[in-house]
């Protein structure tokens, strides 16, 4: 048992830190401060993605046939962690969860055209799972894909399709067998957003994160756009979600924010030659966050280490999701308490701190407790798969 | 990075679980509920079969210095509520002497411990929340050292040949061995019926050779002792909370109300799932702390984090287990109650969660 990064991995982290200093240009920063481009999609964002792809960073752990470097998932995690620390809206769902599924289960066309280009930073996916009447009960989804000669005809509506406003494709779950029990009749498709039958409307959220309702009207896709076997989509969904859950709770961004607030608090004078960090309750808040981050880091490292040898274990992926998402909310609260009222000043305000990141982060925090599979379902999974308890009802 | 147990570690875990399942059955544990809680036969069995040499160098008759091996022993002791208190002997004395003493006599003490000789420590003092600054004093007087003070929560002291004491002197903190015969022992009765003692030292005279570290390294040795003690107590906590969580899972999967097993109620299964999460976090922070201590004698923040998680997990999981069992949980004919008492002991001794949070906060904000 050895629970630390080895010297090459530590070096990789330093190398990446330096790399991103060059990549995140002032122009890119300005673009990312524009609410319209919070999640990426602008020209500078696209340029940075292509550069990262060309420099070989996106697919560190991917197979060489896709252009990867065949390093371990730990190196891949370090890359994602470091890029997320910079605040760059890295499309990790595309690269860390959908991409690997396509690389493994996609048709020859999908492997060559899609997986390879994801690694080159050329393609972005939105995820088409939820529907107006199918959220937590995902297997009840109603979007249809009807088999026709040489392909499938797709009709339906999806909700919360984040990034769809600048995605190239949707990773879409559709019903292909209408007789079979709910989860047994679902298949996965790669659906191009440039099809005339595709449309969307924006949904603006509490955290200024834009998401979308997406509509699919008589979209015809060839057979090569089916991923995996017909009617076997559910296992792809659950595998993808396990990968997604790990990617969602990466410990990098929250640790970066913690360090930034710590440095700020150490340098914030509150009179009588005292710093904010001289106050005992401030110390305690930092210690609470520190001990929480340590656990999160170790959960993520262990999951990543498991990926080297094995499939992700369901109970542990759910532990990561529940613990991480609930810890983020707590951590933002404790950090905001430390900086007090200054934390609620917005980015265009005088006296704002840390580019008002705290003011924005707390507004986005709730998404993760219900997104990616609501935490109630995750706890059901933990009780069943981790403690071997009976299914709850 | 490697989270797996080596094959010899898996073997240790399997054999210990087998040994303790047989020797710490509820029937056998009952014998110690109202008696001096130290199972001599079990202790001898562990000594004869090499388990008291875990974490100790081969040259000193041990099986290697990997602290994770030692962690497995403490986790298994906790999981089976074994009637043995071994942190004073195997952790405080054996590890500190092994790491800090250059004295042959001390090295042979470590070796004798692996064979079943008992030593213990007396570090904590009533109402002193800063064990790095003992109120017990040591005065250097020619070639003698005179020690006075009061210690408590010293384990199985009446059986120990010698006691490792911390004291403040004009040369800084020292750690030294005193003969048990030269101190006054009073047995305390405490919540988990562990054999804990008050140790009074009145002008106890020792030789300089009884100091277990080189001159000037006393504080370093004491800090190491406190850290490794925290981590090994957290391993006991891991075993205790793991057992309580598995009791929750099995009990709620069988107990029926309203015509169904209560584990099918989400309110019940979710509270169990929260215990599982807490347990998983505790396991990981313990593993990090113990493996980091293998290569670095000062890992204070890692040790604090593991003891903070241990304190919180002991508290939360104990009350979840009692609650989800209903009356069965508090019935002394069922097994849970012993674990609840042990949980409180693990939670509080050598730093509660709140106390350690304060210490950790101090370290972090001081740029450590």
């Amino acid at each position: 048992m050895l629970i630390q990064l080895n010297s090459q991995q530590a070096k990789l982290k330093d190398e990446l830190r330096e790399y991103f200093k060059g990549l995140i240009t002032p122009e890119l920063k300005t673009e990312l401060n524009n609410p319209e481009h919070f999640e990426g999609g602008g020209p500078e964002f696209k340029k940075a993605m292509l550069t990262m792809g060309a420099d070989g960073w996106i697919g560190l752990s991917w197979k060489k046939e896709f252009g990867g470097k065949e390093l371990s998932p730990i190196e891949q995690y370090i890359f994602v962690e470091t890029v997320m620390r910079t605040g760059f809206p890295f499309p990790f769902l595309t690269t860390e969860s959908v991409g690997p599924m396509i690389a493994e289960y996609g048709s020859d066309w999908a492997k060559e055209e899609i997986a390879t280009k994801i690694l080159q930073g050329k393609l972005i996916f939105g995820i088409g799972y939820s529907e107006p009447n199918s959220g937590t009960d995902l297997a009840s989804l109603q979007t249809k894909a009807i088999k026709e000669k040489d392909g499938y005809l797709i009709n339906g509506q999806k909700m919360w399709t984040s990034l769809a406003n600048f995605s190239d494709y949707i990773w879409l779950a559709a019903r292909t067998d209408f007789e079979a029990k709910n989860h047994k009749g679902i298949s996965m498709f790669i659906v191009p957003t440039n099809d005339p039958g595709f449309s969307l409307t924006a949904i603006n959220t509490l955290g200024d994160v834009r998401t979308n309702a997406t509509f699919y009207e008589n979209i015809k896709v060839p057979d090569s756009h089916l991923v995996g076997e017909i009617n076997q989509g559910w296992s792809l969904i659950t595998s993808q979600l396990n990968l997604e859950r790990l990617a969602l709770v990466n410990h990098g961004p929250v640790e970066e924010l913690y360090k930034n607030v710590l440095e700020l608090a150490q340098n914030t004078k509150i009179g009588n030659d005292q710093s904010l960090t001289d106050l005992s309750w401030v110390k305690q808040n930092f210690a609470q966050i520190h001990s929480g981050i340590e656990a999160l880091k170790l959960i993520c490292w262990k999951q990543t280490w498991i990926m080297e040898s094995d499939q992700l274990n369901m109970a542990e992926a759910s532990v990561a999701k529940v613990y991480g998402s609930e810890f983020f909310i707590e951590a933002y609260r404790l950090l905001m308490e430390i900086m007090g009222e200054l934390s609620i000043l917005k980015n265009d305000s005088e006296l704002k701190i840390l580019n008002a990141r705290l003011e924005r982060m707390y507004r986005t925090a709730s998404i993760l407790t219900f997104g990616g599979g609501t935490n109630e379902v995750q706890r059901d999974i933990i009780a069943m798969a981790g403690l071997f308890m009976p299914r709850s009802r | 990075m490697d989270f797996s147990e080596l094959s010899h570690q898996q073997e240790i875990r399997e054999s210990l679980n087998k040994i303790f399942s047989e020797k710490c059955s509820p029937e056998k544990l009952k014998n110690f509920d109202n008696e001096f809680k130290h199972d001599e036969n079990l202790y001898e069995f562990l000594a004869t079969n090499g388990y008291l040499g875990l974490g100790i160098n081969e040259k000193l008759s041990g099986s290697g210095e990997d602290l994770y091996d030692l962690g497995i022993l403490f986790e298994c002791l906790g999981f089976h509520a074994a009637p043995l208190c071994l942190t004073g002997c195997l952790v405080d004395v054996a590890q500190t002497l092994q790491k800090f003493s250059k004295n042959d006599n001390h090295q042979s003490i470590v070796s004798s411990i692996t064979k079943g000789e008992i030593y213990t420590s007396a570090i904590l003092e009533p109402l002193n929340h800063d064990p790095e600054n003992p109120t017990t004093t040591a005065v250097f007087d020619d070639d003698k050292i005179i020690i006075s003070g009061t210690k408590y929560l010293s384990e199985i002291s009446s059986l120990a040949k010698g006691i490792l004491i911390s004291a403040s002197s004009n040369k800084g903190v020292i750690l030294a061995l005193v003969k048990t015969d030269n101190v006054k022992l009073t047995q305390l009765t405490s919540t988990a019926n562990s054999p804990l003692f008050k140790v009074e030292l009145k002008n106890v005279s020792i030789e300089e050779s009884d100091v277990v570290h080189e001159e000037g390294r006393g504080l370093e040795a004491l800090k190491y002792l406190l850290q490794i003690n925290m981590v090994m107590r957290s391993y006991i906590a891991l075993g205790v909370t793991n057992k309580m969580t598995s009791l929750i899972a099995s009990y709620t999967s069988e107990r029926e109300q309203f015509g169904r097993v209560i584990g099918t109620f989400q309110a019940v299964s979710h509270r169990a799932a929260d215990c599982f999460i807490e347990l998983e976090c505790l396991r990981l922070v313990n593993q990090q702390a113990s493996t980091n201590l293998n290569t670095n004698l000062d890992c204070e923040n890692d040790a604090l984090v593991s003891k903070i998680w241990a304190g919180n997990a002991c508290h939360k999981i104990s009350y979840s287990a009692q609650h989800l069992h209903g009356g069965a949980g508090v019935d002394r004919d069922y097994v849970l109650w012993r674990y609840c008492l042990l949980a409180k002991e693990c939670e509080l001794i050598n730093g509660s969660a709140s106390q350690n949070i304060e210490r950790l906060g101090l370290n972090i904000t001081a740029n450590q």
Side-chain angles (χ1 to χ4, degrees), chain B residues 299-338:
Chain B
C299 299
E300 181 165 289
N301 287 0
D302 289 341
L304 288 168
V305 167
S306 83
K307 191 64 168 62
I308 289 164
W309 275 99
N312 288 333
C314 279
H315 173 75
K316 289 187 204 167
I317 296 179
S318 175
Y319 284 99
S320 292
Q322 292 174 52
H323 175 77
L324 292 174
H325 277 83
V330 292
D331 181 348
R332 288 203 178 212
D333 284 333
Y334 183 67
V335 292
L336 180 67
W337 67 277
R338 284 189 197 86

Side-chain angles (χ1 to χ4, degrees), chain A residues 1 65 78-79 259 270 300:
Chain A
M1 187 161 308
E65 56 177 297
I78 291 171
F79 164 72
K259 283 184 175 170
I270 51 168
C300 291

Side-chain angles (χ1 to χ4, degrees), chain B residues 89-140:
Chain B
C89 187
L90 298 187
V91 180
D92 298 356
V93 177
Q95 290 299 328
T96 309
L97 264 55
Q98 162 173 266
K99 294 282 185 335
F100 286 90
S101 178
K102 300 272 194 286
N103 178 325
D104 286 346
N105 286 340
H106 296 156
Q107 301 297 311
S108 46
I109 286 176
V110 177
S111 183
S112 74
I113 285 174
T114 67
K115 296 175 183 116
E117 191 80 74
I118 295 176
Y119 283 80
T120 192
S121 65
I123 305 295
L124 303 174
E125 296 164 344
L127 290 177
N128 179 3
H129 282 276
D130 183 10
E132 285 176 21
N133 281 310
T135 56
T136 298
T137 56
V139 177
F140 284 77

Side-chain angles (χ1 to χ4, degrees), chain B residues 62-338:
Chain B
S63 59
E65 287 191 40
D66 192 338
L67 293 176
Y68 184 69
D69 295 358
L70 191 57
I72 295 174
L73 172 66
F74 281 101
E75 183 183 342
C76 291
L77 286 165
F79 190 87
H80 296 275
L84 290 174
C85 286
L86 303 183
T87 50
C89 187
L90 298 187
V91 180
D92 298 356
V93 177
Q95 290 299 328
T96 309
L97 264 55
Q98 162 173 266
K99 294 282 185 335
F100 286 90
S101 178
K102 300 272 194 286
N103 178 325
D104 286 346
N105 286 340
H106 296 156
Q107 301 297 311
S108 46
I109 286 176
V110 177
S111 183
S112 74
I113 285 174
T114 67
K115 296 175 183 116
E117 191 80 74
I118 295 176
Y119 283 80
T120 192
S121 65
I123 305 295
L124 303 174
E125 296 164 344
L127 290 177
N128 179 3
H129 282 276
D130 183 10
E132 285 176 21
N133 281 310
T135 56
T136 298
T137 56
V139 177
F140 284 77
D141 184 13
D142 287 333
D143 52 347
K144 301 275 185 217
I145 305 170
I146 313 296
I147 301 181
S148 296
T150 302
K151 302 281 186 179
Y152 80 148
L153 305 180
S154 172
E155 293 170 354
I156 50 172
S157 326
S158 58
L159 304 175
K161 216 171 152 185
I163 305 178
L164 186 66
I165 306 271
S166 57
S168 300
S169 77
N170 53 354
K171 294 183 182 175
V173 168
I174 62 162
L175 280 175
L177 278 168
V178 301
K179 290 198 182 67
T180 311
D181 294 344
N182 297 342
V183 303
K184 185 184 170 202
L185 296 181
T186 314
Q187 191 178 348
L188 308 168
T189 51
S190 68
T191 194
N193 192 34
S194 296
L196 301 176
F197 289 81
K198 182 168 88 163
V199 179
E200 288 168 281
L201 301 103
K202 273 190 194 153
N203 298 320
V204 176
S205 170
I206 60 165
E207 312 284 327
E208 285 201 16
S209 60
D210 293 322
V211 175
V212 303
H213 48 81
E214 295 163 287
E215 208 179 315
R217 292 188 75 192
L219 183 60
E220 189 192 346
L222 177 57
K223 285 175 78 140
Y224 174 77
L225 181 154
L226 292 167
Q227 287 173 31
I228 187 171
N229 182 292
M230 272 191 222
V231 176
M232 291 303 148
R233 280 190 197 280
S234 298
Y235 270 103
I236 303 176
L238 176 62
V240 166
T241 50
N242 191 4
K243 177 69 180 191
M244 292 197 283
T245 305
S246 67
L247 288 171
I248 292 172
S250 54
Y251 182 82
T252 61
S253 297
E254 279 169 17
R255 166 81 176 165
E256 285 187 27
Q257 286 291 281
F258 305 103
R260 57 196 249 203
V261 295
I262 59 172
T264 60
F265 289 98
Q266 248 184 354
V268 171
S269 65
H270 286 194
R271 194 151 178 193
D274 283 337
C275 294
F276 186 87
I277 295 170
E278 197 84 15
L279 192 59
E280 193 62 24
C281 292
L282 175 60
R283 180 177 290 120
L284 289 166
V285 294
N286 281 0
Q287 288 173 346
Q288 169 167 271
S290 58
T291 52
N292 283 351
L293 271 168
N294 273 334
T295 48
N296 184 349
L297 294 179
D298 188 5
C299 299
E300 181 165 289
N301 287 0
D302 289 341
L304 288 168
V305 167
S306 83
K307 191 64 168 62
I308 289 164
W309 275 99
N312 288 333
C314 279
H315 173 75
K316 289 187 204 167
I317 296 179
S318 175
Y319 284 99
S320 292
Q322 292 174 52
H323 175 77
L324 292 174
H325 277 83
V330 292
D331 181 348
R332 288 203 178 212
D333 284 333
Y334 183 67
V335 292
L336 180 67
W337 67 277
R338 284 189 197 86

